[in-house]
Amino acid sequence: MRASRTAVLVCQGRAAADGRLAPGRFTDPTASPMLRPDERVAVDRVRVGAVPPGWRPRVDYESVRACAEMMAPRTVAVDDAVRERPGPQVVILGAGLDGRAWRMPELAGAAVFEVDQPASQRDKRDRAGALPGAPPRFVPVDFGRDRLGEALAAAGHRADTPTTWVWEGVVPYLTRAQVATTVEAVAARSAPGSRLVVNYQTPAVTTTLGRLLARLLAATTGRSSVWADEPWRSTWTPAAMAALLTRNGFTVARNEHLLDTARRLGTPTHHPHSLRHSHLTTADHP
């Protein structure tokens, strides 16, 4: 298994949005330093609105621009939920190139664990080496094969201490069975006072068609699509997600879709269907 290409695109989106979309509400100074020079080319163009000539650079430009418009509201919504209840332990599930351990002052006194598949974690360690501050505790886990609870316990996570769990941008890449197994493992290690912030996609024909179109556009550039390499495996209705969390002892505090978040922030909504079908549920373990 190789490092996630989706994680790089998400990082590019955050770097392109940093200080530009939702100024005063969204910033991520850790994103750009984790990108390779060639990965920053499209980011720099998006930041100044310089639409490039040529088909391949244009596809890269539009992909990063669309991702930036998703990342700003998604990141703000997750950050706000974490700030409301920053536990003494924070676990970021499927962390990718997430920079929260470095950029959020609210986490400075917390034990932060990052869970991801081994290849992506090796890539992350290499990219994040120059970031200032203490790194998180890296916990290599393949959600389809490894036991999450055992891996966290071995890394020093305490099941008797409240934990804030961040599960952003990962659920669609897991099967429904893998999602259920992960929630069970999270619940087993959630002391009273814990919080789970989970981002997932709701079923939508338009979203499926959009991903297919993105794959076709990537094919015209002579490259494989990130969406082909890392396909979606599950979608959830808010009711189904709430039922899964409730069965495992969580109480849903709220559910929101990112189109509402984007409108509140005043960020671009050129892709309203994608924003509307990206949901965030915040649930607490009483």
Side-chain angles (χ1 to χ4, degrees):
M1 183 178 291
R2 65 181 183 179
S4 170
R5 291 174 59 198
T6 303
V8 174
L9 179 59
V10 167
C11 191
Q12 288 176 302
R14 285 179 171 148
D18 177 33
R20 189 178 63 88
L21 301 185
R25 293 287 284 121
F26 174 82
T27 182
D28 189 350
T30 69
S32 184
M34 283 195 280
L35 295 173
R36 311 293 188 204
D38 62 309
E39 295 162 352
R40 292 193 193 111
V41 173
V43 169
D44 293 340
R45 287 171 172 162
V46 170
R47 289 186 63 81
V48 299
V51 180
W55 183 244
R56 183 168 175 171
R58 179 63 183 269
V59 170
D60 291 343
Y61 175 92
E62 296 297 344
S63 296
V64 171
R65 183 171 70 168
C67 189
E69 293 176 7
M70 174 69 73
M71 287 308 106
R74 193 173 90 178
T75 305
V76 169
V78 174
D79 285 358
D80 285 352
V82 171
R83 289 190 184 100
E84 289 175 356
R85 188 176 290 192
Q89 299 180 123
V90 176
V91 177
I92 303 174
L93 299 167
L97 299 179
D98 189 299
R100 287 185 173 89
W102 291 270
R103 69 173 174 79
M104 288 190 71
E106 295 86 354
L107 307 187
V112 182
F113 301 82
E114 284 197 359
V115 176
D116 212 341
Q117 55 104 340
S120 288
Q121 283 204 334
R122 287 192 295 270
D123 185 50
K124 171 74 167 284
R125 286 174 180 263
D126 183 43
R127 292 171 179 266
L131 292 179
R137 304 182 196 181
F138 293 100
V139 186
V141 169
D142 182 327
F143 288 104
R145 298 182 306 180
D146 301 327
R147 295 183 179 274
L148 174 62
E150 292 179 3
L152 282 169
H157 178 266
R158 295 178 58 94
D160 60 353
T161 301
T163 300
T164 299
W165 305 85
V166 175
W167 201 8
E168 179 188 6
V170 181
V171 168
Y173 301 98
L174 304 178
T175 66
R176 294 182 74 85
Q178 289 168 346
V179 172
T181 298
T182 302
V183 171
E184 291 170 4
V186 166
R189 301 198 65 82
S190 290
S194 294
R195 163 165 286 192
L196 171 61
V197 185
V198 55
N199 164 238
Y200 57 96
Q201 296 297 129
T202 59
V205 173
T206 53
T207 303
T208 302
L209 292 175
R211 288 173 64 83
L212 177 59
L213 177 60
R215 289 176 62 176
L216 293 173
L217 288 174
T220 66
T221 69
R223 295 172 297 179
S224 64
S225 168
V226 62
W227 312 122
D229 294 342
E230 300 172 42
W232 281 358
R233 293 184 169 89
S234 71
T235 56
W236 296 76
T237 64
M241 180 57 69
L244 173 62
L245 299 178
T246 301
R247 285 198 303 271
N248 284 277
F250 286 96
T251 299
V252 173
R254 66 177 173 273
N255 179 79
E256 57 190 314
H257 60 66
L258 296 186
L259 182 57
D260 279 348
T261 307
R263 286 171 172 165
R264 285 199 305 271
L265 293 171
T267 55
T269 56
H270 295 115
H271 303 278
H273 293 293
S274 296
L275 289 164
R276 183 180 294 111
H277 291 286
S278 184
H279 277 239
L280 193 77
T281 291
T282 301
D284 296 324
H285 204 280

